[in-house]
Amino acid sequence: MRFLFGVGAFCLFFAFACSNDGKRDISDYYFPVDELRSGKVYEYDLARGDSSSPEYWYYRSFKLDSGLFLTGTYYDRRFQIGQIVREKIVSSGSQVNEYFLYETDWETERQQQTTAVVEAPDVFPFRVRDSSGVFLFRMKYHPVLDSATTIYIIRNRVFLGEGPAFEFQGAQYPCVRFGLREVIGNESEGALEIEGRGEEWYAKGLGLVYYRKSFGQNAQVQFEYRLKDVFPMSELEKRAAAYYGDE
């Protein structure tokens, strides 16, 4: 009995120590996977100025025997698919499982798919410490129209702690922030690389609601987007039909 009591006490102490390791659980700030079984479109638009250049991400979650997955499909302002990302939701966070990119062959006006090789899969961690730890995503791919070229993307995320509250549809959502450092390179051009920096905000119960990036030594290329709306796929289909019906 004393031995069993001692073992039980040790197990309780070990569990308590693991749950108080100084890390914060931020899983509620990622996309609400359980609510995305039927799919929703996230509309992002320019965060500043009066101009508009929307982009859309259709998120849908599903379960397989191998686990829980979240698929994101990106549509540009012309409602053309640009990429499809499938993430696997694991205990430590979200990790990219598959990544597909699409390019338009202007001779045939058809989109062609290429599959990226994911070398480091981390997208969003569920347990973090303030400003410590780098979460690495790295992939490479061959452009459809230039198969001899290899493009690679390296993206580091660093947790920055609390962000400002995000106002969406009349409600205030608490946020967490991540710092971004990104490198886009071309292996066929030797050391040719473009470096970028930025920031992301994730709102509790919503997911990604704001991001900005700048590239080049003097930040020649900059963009900044925020979440504008969330709606079903049927609404996106209506918008696409109206867009092409006017041409």
Side-chain angles (χ1 to χ4, degrees), residues 13 40 43 120 171 176 192 197 234:
F13 173 79
K40 291 182 180 179
E43 178 187 6
V176 293
L192 178 62
R197 294 182 180 274
S234 58

Side-chain angles (χ1 to χ4, degrees), residues 124-141:
F124 187 94
F126 287 168
R127 293 182 62 79
V128 294
R129 289 190 180 94
D130 285 352
S131 302
S132 66
V134 176
F135 306 96
L136 174 64
F137 172 76
R138 179 182 178 119
M139 75 170 188
K140 63 181 180 181
Y141 68 96

Side-chain angles (χ1 to χ4, degrees), residues 29-133:
Y29 290 79
Y30 199 50
F31 293 99
V33 179
D34 291 337
E35 299 176 17
L36 292 172
R37 298 292 178 87
S38 58
K40 291 182 180 179
V41 176
Y42 279 55
E43 178 187 6
Y44 299 91
D45 208 344
L46 298 176
R48 300 180 186 276
D50 298 327
S51 59
S52 178
S53 181
E55 59 182 40
Y56 308 93
W57 279 90
Y58 175 61
Y59 291 104
R60 186 171 184 177
S61 61
F62 56 95
K63 277 189 174 182
L64 298 176
D65 291 341
S66 53
L68 177 62
F69 295 87
L70 176 67
T71 296
T73 303
Y74 165 76
Y75 297 85
D76 64 19
R77 62 185 182 84
R78 294 173 56 87
F79 304 97
Q80 296 290 316
I81 293 178
Q83 51 189 297
I84 297 176
V85 185
R86 187 167 81 166
E87 303 172 14
K88 186 173 184 179
I89 308 300
V90 297
S91 60
S92 60
S94 183
Q95 299 180 336
V96 174
N97 180 259
E98 292 181 307
Y99 208 124
F100 305 100
L101 298 105
Y102 293 80
E103 297 178 65
T104 300
D105 185 337
W106 298 110
E107 293 184 359
T108 63
E109 296 186 351
R110 293 181 178 179
Q111 285 189 294
Q112 299 187 39
Q113 181 193 85
T114 183
T115 302
V117 176
V118 178
E119 298 178 323
D122 289 342
V123 175
F124 187 94
F126 287 168
R127 293 182 62 79
V128 294
R129 289 190 180 94
D130 285 352
S131 302
S132 66

